[in-house]
Amino acid sequence: MSQFELLNDDTAILMIYQDTFTVARLKELASNKLNSYLTKKYGNSGISLTDLFCNSNLSIIESEVKISMNDIQLIFPTDGIECKLLNFDTRQWTAGKIKIIADVKFSSSFLGNDHYRNVKINELKLEFATDEPPLSDIETSLDEFRKQNQES
């Protein structure tokens, strides 16, 4: 498998299982679903993930260093999910994996006595890695194969 690379073309076509999406549409769907999960109230307490991340006590404090955990990056699935990317030039599908990366910012604000907790997905991007090794790896393997055959 080659390395994951950013999919910059929002008009590119992806196939995940039997469903097809443009990159733009998949990003839109993922953003909406992620926002829904982050703001959904869970359990009897009615606390959302946004509530947890907006908590001012959620930070790493050591000596004089305070690192707030209100800006996070989510990557899912971490190993990627099997999919195919349509190559418009060759009109062929390229097998590989895709993963979604979301930069999320949590914030709190007050309006009078009311406390509001907000979540904003600053950026959502898709990365794709082909199942095929890069050409440089193939060329190196061929060079090694040729060298071994010459030595025999």
Side-chain angles (χ1 to χ4, degrees):
M1 167 139 331
S2 62
Q3 292 200 349
F4 282 90
E5 294 182 13
L6 184 63
L7 283 176
N8 288 320
D9 183 2
D10 280 349
T11 63
I13 306 292
L14 293 165
M15 182 188 302
I16 302 173
Y17 305 114
Q18 72 274 10
D19 296 319
T20 56
F21 310 88
T22 62
V23 167
R25 179 67 177 147
L26 184 58
K27 289 188 330 190
E28 177 186 354
L29 292 170
S31 181
N32 291 341
K33 187 57 85 170
L34 179 58
N35 191 50
S36 173
Y37 282 130
L38 294 173
T39 57
K40 178 181 177 185
K41 303 289 185 182
Y42 292 93
N44 294 334
S45 63
I47 295 175
S48 70
L49 291 173
T50 299
D51 294 335
L52 292 174
F53 278 99
C54 285
N55 184 341
S56 61
N57 296 326
L58 189 60
S59 58
I60 300 170
I61 301 173
E62 182 64 35
S63 299
E64 297 298 316
V65 178
K66 181 179 178 184
I67 301 170
S68 172
M69 296 172 63
N70 293 44
D71 289 320
I72 63 171
Q73 186 175 71
L74 302 171
I75 301 171
F76 52 95
T78 53
D79 292 334
I81 186 170
E82 297 291 329
C83 74
K84 293 179 182 178
L85 176 66
L86 182 61
N87 183 325
F88 287 119
D89 295 333
T90 63
R91 297 178 191 239
Q92 304 262 333
W93 291 99
T94 302
K97 288 188 174 185
I98 189 131
K99 59 182 166 179
I100 301 167
I101 300 169
D103 294 332
V104 182
K105 174 144 180 96
F106 298 94
S107 62
S108 296
S109 60
F110 292 92
L111 185 59
N113 291 334
D114 295 327
H115 185 210
Y116 297 96
R117 292 180 169 94
N118 306 305
V119 61
K120 181 178 182 209
I121 299 171
N122 288 331
E123 182 179 24
L124 192 132
K125 52 193 171 196
L126 303 178
E127 290 186 351
F128 180 78
T130 62
D131 286 342
E132 303 165 4
L135 287 178
S136 59
D137 290 351
I138 294 171
E139 290 169 2
T140 303
S141 299
L142 284 173
D143 289 342
E144 290 173 5
F145 178 74
R146 289 181 190 121
K147 186 186 256 185
Q148 288 174 355
N149 280 344
Q150 289 174 352
E151 292 171 357
S152 338

